[in-house]
Amino acid sequence: MHHLCAELYPICRSITGDGVRQTLEILRRKLPIEVHEVPSGTRAFDWTVPPEWNIRDAYVLDRDGRRAIDFRRSNLHVVSYSVPVHERCAVEDLKAHLFSLPDRPTWIPYRTSYYERQWGFCLAHADLERLTDAEYDVVIDASLEPGSLTYGECVIPGSEDEAGEVLLSSHICHPSLANDNLSAMVLSAFIGAALRAVPLRYSYRFLFAPGTIGSIVWLARNEDRLGRIRHGLVLTGVGDQGPFTYKRSRRGDAEIDRVVAHVMRRCASDAKIVDFSPYGYDERQFCSPAFDLPVGRLGRTPHAEYPEYHTSADDLAFVSPEQLGDSLRVTLEVIATLEGNRRYVNTNPKCEPQLGRRGLYRAIGGNLDREAVEMGLLWVLNLSDGSHDLLAIAERSALPFAAIRSAADALIENALLVPVPES
Ligand code: ZN
């Protein structure tokens, strides 16, 4: 995962342009992502797809012809969506277009100007203080022209069409920033590759789209299919050293909210769970009132709560292979729990069935202890009245979900349990 982050890191991405296409092309080696192009000017609810932005080079030359600021050294140096420029500037006019972080003098900030025609450079404050010539030559060799917005989508079909879909979304619009958001697009690609190798009940829809405008465009183009989305996660910032943070869906009590809380209690007890707010990443769009999709957000330290956020310090050293791997493990555990969680009906609800006669106490092995197995059978039988799902039974019994799932499987095999049909 870290190698893939490193390969994607140098690419200059934005909300449109060749950097996004190149990124999807690389991710396609891991997952068969279908690439969609939506022309500039296309309306999507209250928004319009902007012109496409591409950049070849950008620099500020001092009087000796040296690059005082050089896009080739870091793509963060140019404000994303800067209009093309080719002019000589007095230093004080140039400084009106420069952004730095005086309290972090060696870090380059990350800035964008998507919807306002502007140009600018970002640089380390220490370098800004070295700009002492009277004039500089400024060049931004970029284009901002009709083109398209690019996003990627990959669907891994499940075995039960009526079960619906799980949406996993990550944004792909940031240039050389590792945690926000290379970590999440790489996690998503690895989850997809893992899911392709196992049988699934749900279908999984992976969305790789530029932040805000990308999810809005996707929602506008898929409005008639949104009813199929039963659960969803926005993945973001999953490689830093912080504990997990899960932000609940707008509904607050969706199945995905319950599943993530359960998995976190079991595998990441230092995780923080926070309520929905209409601010953050693309959960803002998925959870807008007309859609109110059951989509939460999973990440580690939330954006803007770590100083490296949106600066050159969010680099490849800021994300670790261990944290990326741990994020993959926990997300797959969430998916396994979603897959296994269903409602059932006890076919023998008048008193307990005779479990010993059916050999049920011995039917469940593995590394689950005998007591958990027996208790699991009794709890599943007692609460499977069609209204409790297995997760609710796991929580009420304080047994691990895996023990409850194994108990349910053994009862199904003995015709003591039947699933409630998916609605
Ligand atoms: Zn960001």
Side-chain angles (χ1 to χ4, degrees):
M1 292 172 82
H2 198 270
H3 280 153
L4 189 52
C5 283
E7 186 174 356
L8 294 166
Y9 183 74
I11 300 172
C12 185
R13 281 164 292 268
S14 186
I15 52 172
T16 64
D18 289 332
V20 174
R21 294 187 188 100
Q22 236 180 305
T23 299
L24 290 172
E25 204 45 54
I26 291 172
L27 292 173
R28 273 170 59 85
R29 295 206 301 258
K30 199 78 200 159
L31 198 63
I33 298 167
E34 195 186 327
V35 176
H36 298 262
E37 299 280 353
V38 184
S40 305
T42 304
R43 298 282 302 174
F45 306 123
D46 201 38
W47 294 66
T48 306
V49 174
E52 182 178 323
W53 187 69
N54 283 294
I55 181 159
R56 287 158 291 278
D57 196 7
Y59 49 88
V60 170
L61 286 187
D62 67 14
R63 66 169 174 227
D64 301 321
R66 279 190 301 251
R67 290 187 175 211
I69 309 174
D70 186 1
F71 170 78
R72 289 180 190 164
R73 295 172 72 98
S74 168
N75 56 36
L76 297 176
H77 276 314
V78 174
V79 171
S80 190
Y81 259 70
S82 282
V83 295
V85 185
H86 201 289
E87 64 187 45
R88 177 158 291 182
C89 253
V91 69
E92 41 298 350
D93 297 337
L94 172 64
K95 282 187 175 171
H97 293 270
L98 300 183
F99 303 94
S100 68
L101 299 167
D103 55 333
R104 304 274 180 187
T106 61
W107 295 0
I108 306 165
Y110 163 58
R111 287 269 193 145
T112 67
S113 183
Y114 300 139
Y115 301 103
E116 198 186 332
R117 290 183 80 89
Q118 262 280 14
W119 63 268
F121 285 88
C122 301
L123 72 168
H125 194 69
D127 290 335
L128 186 145
E129 289 188 312
R130 277 182 214 116
L131 298 177
T132 50
D133 289 2
E135 287 186 333
Y136 287 88
D137 283 318
V138 178
V139 172
I140 297 181
D141 179 13
S143 57
L144 195 53
E145 291 162 355
S148 59
L149 175 148
T150 312
Y151 70 85
E153 205 173 13
C154 174
V155 179
I156 301 174
S159 60
E160 294 179 31
D161 191 50
E162 61 284 3
E165 293 181 358
V166 179
L167 175 69
L168 294 166
S169 164
S170 54
H171 61 298
I172 52 164
C173 50
H174 288 33
S176 291
L177 296 168
N179 196 42
D180 176 22
N181 56 140
L182 290 173
S183 66
M185 66 179 96
V186 165
L187 171 64
S188 215
F190 270 71
I191 294 168
L195 295 188
R196 289 183 81 206
V198 293
L200 299 165
R201 176 158 68 102
Y202 292 110
S203 298
Y204 287 78
R205 184 173 296 272
F206 291 84
L207 180 61
F208 300 86
T212 309
I213 184 70
S215 57
I216 292 171
V217 163
W218 182 83
L219 283 161
R221 287 160 63 104
N222 291 277
E223 203 174 347
D224 55 339
R225 295 220 310 259
L226 299 179
R228 282 187 52 72
I229 295 174
R230 302 297 153 79
H231 320 284
L233 286 175
V234 169
L235 299 169
T236 175
V238 293
D240 65 274
Q241 294 300 317
F244 287 100
T245 303
Y246 176 70
K247 178 177 165 182
R248 291 189 186 98
S249 70
R250 181 176 181 267
R251 301 179 187 188
D253 61 350
E255 190 176 333
I256 184 72
D257 300 323
R258 296 167 51 227
V259 165
V260 176
H262 182 86
V263 170
M264 290 303 172
R265 269 199 299 279
R266 297 255 157 208
C267 343
S269 54
D270 57 349
K272 275 192 284 184
I273 299 194
V274 298
D275 271 325
F276 176 78
S277 61
Y279 185 68
Y281 289 91
D282 286 329
E283 69 276 13
R284 304 155 72 145
Q285 317 310 334
F286 299 126
C287 296
S288 56
F291 304 131
D292 195 19
L293 294 175
V295 173
R297 190 186 82 205
L298 183 63
R300 289 181 177 275
T301 311
H303 58 96
E305 291 183 22
Y306 52 98
E308 295 84 354
Y309 172 73
H310 280 192
T311 76
S312 55
D314 179 3
D315 60 10
L316 290 167
F318 186 68
V319 298
S320 74
E322 290 76 16
Q323 297 296 84
L324 291 167
D326 190 48
S327 295
L328 177 62
R329 179 181 68 86
V330 166
T331 316
L332 290 175
E333 191 64 38
V334 167
I335 290 170
T337 308
L338 273 179
E339 283 283 321
N341 189 34
R342 269 195 101 142
R343 283 177 299 143
Y344 294 92
V345 176
N346 175 352
T347 60
N348 187 98
K350 294 180 176 169
C351 301
E352 291 174 359
Q354 258 194 292
L355 300 180
R357 173 160 66 81
R358 294 178 169 87
L360 265 165
Y361 287 126
R362 276 169 281 112
I364 307 166
N367 42 19
L368 300 164
D369 70 70
R370 191 180 166 76
E371 198 187 345
V373 169
E374 289 189 20
M375 291 306 288
L377 291 168
L378 297 175
W379 275 106
V380 172
L381 284 167
N382 188 279
L383 288 180
S384 288
D385 53 7
S387 67
H388 301 87
D389 59 18
L390 295 184
L391 182 63
I393 300 173
E395 305 224 296
R396 187 144 164 199
S397 65
L399 291 168
F401 182 82
I404 293 294
R405 182 65 254 180
S406 302
D409 289 337
L411 292 167
I412 291 164
E413 232 168 83
N414 283 270
L416 288 169
L417 210 59
V418 290
V420 174
E422 306 269 4
S423 53

